């Protein structure tokens, strides 16, 4: 078997091998039960070392495409030949300009919080990272507090701890984003960064462009600031750029809000070309951009540099967070802001809350300085990939044939389009009665309606995923029949 390897590509060699084999499986060149070349044979054929092949095979295993048999080698799984359902989006999608935001974000958050306190709930609704053991946490927190003991009884820098900002600056280089510590603002979660920047840039009545569907928390923020919203449909490649240009021309919006990597809720990552065009359009139509890449560090594959890295005119603000990689309760996010906007936003932050808790900052500093963070990211990606495969597998088996879903290459969510004949609200309520919580897709559309869909978090154990998806699938069949006969 010959897998072409191109060492000039930025894509690591093990991923090239994984992708080559995965394509062969999808194209039918490798069939269920076929044996893959041994690690030694593959290493020889592709002229790489054996460790690289082992890495490629373990990713394929985590993808649910192959399995190892003790002493016999690696084999193609039986289930992968079900043709993957296409990543489709409702064909009748249109631009959404809502009259008013009818959804109470508080109510959604309260329902999730209530469900979180139920002991046996299967939580497909929110996506949080796996817990860290209490002993590890205590050790890190003890060391962290020691490093800032003399600063606990005074106020600290509103921009954030200088060492932490230096560390974030170094971290961002790995994404291809170069930002000096003076361009980084540490915030109370990335939500605060979104909030401070939007409140500063957007006046009541201003037009703001969002992806449709989009992160529901940001839609509520726009409602709060009195913005008028234009929802540009998402395609499998990201926001529809032709429609974006039309609306930039006709409505002259102040701001575009986008998630370029692992979009919430669809899980889509845009290409470099898409990012380039978006920033060109923003410059051409004199528009700000907020790039909110909360899930960026959870990508399984290498991703293109953020839009902020392509921004030469200080038009783009980048927001990131440790909520999805360490823990949300630290409330630690950050923004990259260049040009004059930086000082204006720091002043706003000062008026809001002076600065982020120095204890939270010290804990993150400790993670970043010890290599714990790198290990944590590796382990999260591995677990998430296994859980995503478990969910894809379960969806194939339990969901109606007319349903389709995205196959995100990371993050915590996938987006399922559901046939219109299913009464989704009835499914949601009946699922909750059986301790399965899901986010209705409607919450992610600017008009809080959109097309019938669900956002499912795969940050669950494989057993819970199997059980929860089976319950949802069974309810969909039940409420499908009902809505057809009604
Ligand atoms: C896309 C996106 N942005 C921002 C946030 C806010 O994260 P935090 O304020 O915890 O950093 C979330 C949380 O769910 C999110 O999904």
């Amino acid at each position: 078997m010959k897998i072409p390897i191109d060492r000039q590509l930025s894509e690591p060699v093990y991923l090239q091998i994984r992708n080559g084999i995965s394509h062969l499986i999808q194209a039918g060149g490798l069939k269920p039960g076929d044996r893959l070349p041994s690690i030694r044979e593959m290493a020889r054929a592709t002229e790489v070392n054996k460790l690289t092949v082992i890495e490629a095979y373990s990713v394929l295993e985590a993808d649910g495409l192959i399995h190892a048999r003790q002493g016999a080698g690696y084999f193609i799984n039986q289930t992968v030949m079900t043709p993957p359902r296409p990543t489709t989006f409702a064909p009748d999608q249109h631009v959404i300009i809502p009259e008013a935001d009818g959804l109470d974000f508080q109510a959604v958050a309260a329902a999730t919080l209530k469900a979180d306190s139920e002991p046996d709930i299967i939580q497909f609704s929110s996506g949080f990272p796996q817990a860290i053991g209490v002993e590890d946490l205590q050790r890190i927190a003890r060391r962290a507090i020691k490093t800032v003991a003399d600063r606990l009884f005074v106020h600290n820098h509103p921009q954030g701890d200088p060492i932490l900002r230096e560390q974030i600056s170094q971290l961002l280089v790995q994404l291809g984003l170069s930002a000096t510590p003076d361009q980084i603002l540490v915030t109370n979660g990335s939500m605060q960064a979104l909030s401070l920047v939007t409140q500063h840039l957007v006046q009541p009545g201003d037009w703001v462009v969002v992806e449709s569907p989009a992160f529901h928390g940001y839609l509520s923020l726009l409602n709060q600031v009195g913005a008028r919203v234009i929802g540009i449909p998402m395609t499998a490649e990201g926001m529809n750029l032709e429609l974006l240009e039309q609306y930039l021309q006709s409505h002259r919006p102040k701001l575009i809000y986008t998630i370029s990597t692992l979009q919430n809720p669809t899980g889509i990552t845009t290409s470099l070309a898409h990012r380039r065009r978006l920033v060109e359009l923003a410059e051409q139509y004199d528009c700000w951009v907020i790039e909110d890449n909360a899930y960026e560090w959870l990508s399984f594959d290498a991703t293109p540099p953020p839009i902020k890295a392509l921004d030469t005119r200080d038009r783009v603000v980048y927001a990131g967070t440790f909520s999805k990689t360490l823990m949300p309760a630290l409330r630690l996010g950050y923004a990259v802001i260049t040009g004059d906007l930086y000082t204006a936003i720091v002043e706003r932050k000062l008026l809001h809350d002076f600065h982020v808790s120095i204890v939270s900052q010290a804990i993150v500093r400790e993670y970043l300085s010890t290599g714990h963070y790198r290990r944590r990211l590796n382990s999260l990606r591995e677990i998430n990939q296994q859980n995503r495969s478990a969910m894809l597998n379960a969806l194939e088996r339990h969901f109606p044939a007319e349903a389709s879903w995205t196959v995100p290459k990371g993050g915590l969510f996938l987006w399922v389009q559901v046939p219109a004949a299913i009464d989704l609200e009835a499914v949601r309520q009946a699922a909750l009665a059986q301790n399965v919580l899901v986010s209705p897709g409607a919450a992610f559309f600017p008009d809080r309606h959109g097309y019938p869909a669900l956002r499912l978090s795969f940050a669950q154990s494989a057993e819970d995923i199997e059980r929860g998806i089976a319950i949802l699938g069974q309810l969909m069949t039940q409420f499908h029949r009902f809505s057809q006969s009604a």
Side-chain angles (χ1 to χ4, degrees):
M1 181 186 309
K2 188 81 190 136
I3 306 282
I5 302 295
D6 183 349
R7 288 174 200 281
Q8 307 303 320
L9 291 179
S10 61
E11 186 174 44
V13 170
Y14 78 95
L15 284 180
Q16 294 187 39
I17 299 177
R18 178 268 211 133
N19 293 342
I21 294 175
S22 160
H23 287 145
L24 276 173
I25 296 174
Q26 306 299 352
L30 283 168
K31 303 220 163 7
D34 279 359
R35 184 175 165 281
L36 279 180
S38 71
I39 286 166
R40 185 198 302 235
E41 287 159 358
M42 183 57 98
R44 205 177 305 125
T46 44
E47 295 172 10
V48 302
N49 75 40
K50 283 194 277 183
L51 282 178
T52 307
V53 179
I54 292 173
E55 217 171 343
Y57 282 14
S58 39
V59 179
L60 284 162
E61 211 174 357
D63 286 342
L65 294 177
I66 66 170
H67 63 278
R69 252 185 253 148
Q70 189 85 42
Y74 286 87
F75 294 84
I76 311 297
N77 286 350
Q78 294 295 336
T79 48
V80 299
M81 296 317 287
T82 330
R85 302 191 198 193
T87 308
T88 49
F89 287 88
D92 59 344
Q93 276 191 87
H94 52 272
V95 173
I96 296 178
I97 301 188
E99 293 280 306
D101 186 341
L103 191 100
D104 180 358
F105 186 52
Q106 271 252 348
V108 176
T112 306
L113 278 176
K114 183 168 176 296
D116 277 338
S117 61
E118 303 283 336
D120 294 322
I121 197 109
I122 300 179
Q123 241 287 26
F124 289 140
S125 172
S126 43
F128 294 125
Q130 276 74 20
I132 298 172
V134 174
E135 264 122 56
D136 284 349
L137 266 181
Q138 277 175 335
R139 198 162 22 84
I140 296 269
R142 210 175 306 123
R143 281 212 300 260
I145 288 181
K146 245 190 206 165
T147 65
V148 289
D150 59 335
R151 288 193 283 140
L152 292 174
F153 303 95
V154 290
H155 279 139
N156 288 272
H157 298 275
Q159 304 93 312
D161 175 76
I163 297 177
L164 177 60
R165 282 186 285 126
E166 176 68 47
Q167 288 172 319
I168 294 173
S169 150
Q170 284 168 18
L171 206 59
L172 290 172
V173 172
Q174 294 172 27
L175 298 178
L177 174 54
S178 110
T180 65
D182 292 344
Q183 296 169 329
I184 291 167
L185 173 65
V186 178
T187 54
N188 263 296
S190 53
M191 197 65 216
Q192 186 182 44
L194 302 180
S195 181
L196 292 174
V197 174
T198 306
Q199 282 167 5
H200 185 77
L201 296 177
V202 177
Q203 306 309 313
D206 281 346
W207 289 103
V208 174
V209 168
V210 298
E211 289 144 351
S212 173
F215 167 45
H216 56 342
Y218 193 74
L219 293 176
S220 294
L221 172 59
L222 288 178
N223 186 38
Q224 278 264 317
V225 300
R228 288 184 291 172
V229 177
I230 305 168
I232 301 287
M234 277 297 274
T235 72
E237 278 75 47
M239 184 191 296
N240 181 324
L241 292 177
E242 273 125 53
L243 285 174
L244 172 65
E245 181 161 22
Q246 275 177 31
Y247 280 79
L248 288 174
Q249 248 169 27
S250 58
H251 286 64
R252 297 286 163 166
K254 211 30 148 350
L255 173 74
I256 302 168
Y257 168 77
T258 181
I259 303 179
S260 61
T261 300
L262 298 167
Q263 200 247 6
N264 180 4
T266 61
I268 284 167
T269 294
T270 63
S271 65
L272 182 58
H274 191 280
R275 293 169 192 217
R276 282 220 172 93
R277 183 68 189 136
L278 195 144
V279 80
E280 252 172 45
L281 287 171
E283 283 172 6
Q284 189 180 339
Y285 292 96
D286 195 21
C287 186
W288 293 93
V289 177
I290 294 183
E291 183 182 31
D292 173 19
N293 283 8
Y295 301 89
E296 182 119 46
W297 297 101
L298 298 180
S299 179
F300 306 148
D301 298 345
T303 50
I307 297 172
K308 179 67 191 157
L310 311 169
D311 169 35
T312 52
R313 301 210 198 140
D314 302 331
R315 294 258 111 202
V316 183
V317 172
Y318 177 92
T321 181
F322 291 96
S323 287
K324 311 295 171 185
T325 52
L326 284 178
M327 55 204 109
L330 288 175
R331 304 310 303 129
L332 216 132
Y334 51 91
V336 177
I337 309 172
T338 50
D340 296 342
L341 187 63
Y342 186 83
T343 316
I345 301 297
V346 172
E347 271 166 22
R348 259 179 195 267
K349 163 119 184 89
L350 195 59
L351 293 176
H352 269 249
D353 57 4
F354 279 107
H355 59 74
V356 174
S357 149
I358 196 72
V359 176
S360 284
Q361 295 191 69
I363 290 175
V364 174
R365 233 172 69 172
E366 196 61 29
Y367 269 99
L368 294 177
S369 63
T370 54
H372 277 75
Y373 192 61
R374 176 121 301 278
R375 282 195 290 282
R376 167 102 173 137
L377 286 183
N378 287 340
S379 119
L380 283 178
R381 288 185 194 123
E382 202 177 308
I383 298 169
N384 291 348
Q385 198 158 6
Q386 282 163 9
N387 292 341
R388 184 208 60 172
S389 300
M391 186 169 270
L392 290 173
N393 245 305
L395 287 170
E396 270 311 333
R397 282 178 289 108
H398 299 297
F399 267 33
E402 312 94 302
S404 63
W405 46 84
T406 54
V407 181
K409 299 200 171 117
L412 297 172
F413 303 111
L414 52 80
W415 178 248
V416 183
Q417 273 181 247
V418 178
I422 291 173
D423 182 350
L424 260 190
E425 184 48 26
V427 170
R428 196 186 65 78
Q429 284 179 22
L432 194 56
Q434 296 188 48
N435 262 358
V436 178
L437 182 70
V438 290
S439 280
F444 300 90
F445 288 98
D447 60 353
R448 308 300 190 172
H449 187 68
Y451 52 80
L454 290 175
R455 185 192 71 173
L456 296 177
S457 156
F458 47 83
Q460 313 295 325
S461 70
E463 301 80 62
D464 278 358
I465 288 173
E466 174 60 26
R467 200 154 52 88
I469 295 294
I471 290 174
L472 285 174
Q474 187 263 322
L475 290 172
M476 282 190 186
T477 313
Q478 184 181 335
F479 288 103
H480 195 276
R481 282 203 205 101
F482 172 77
S483 45
Q484 275 175 342
S485 61

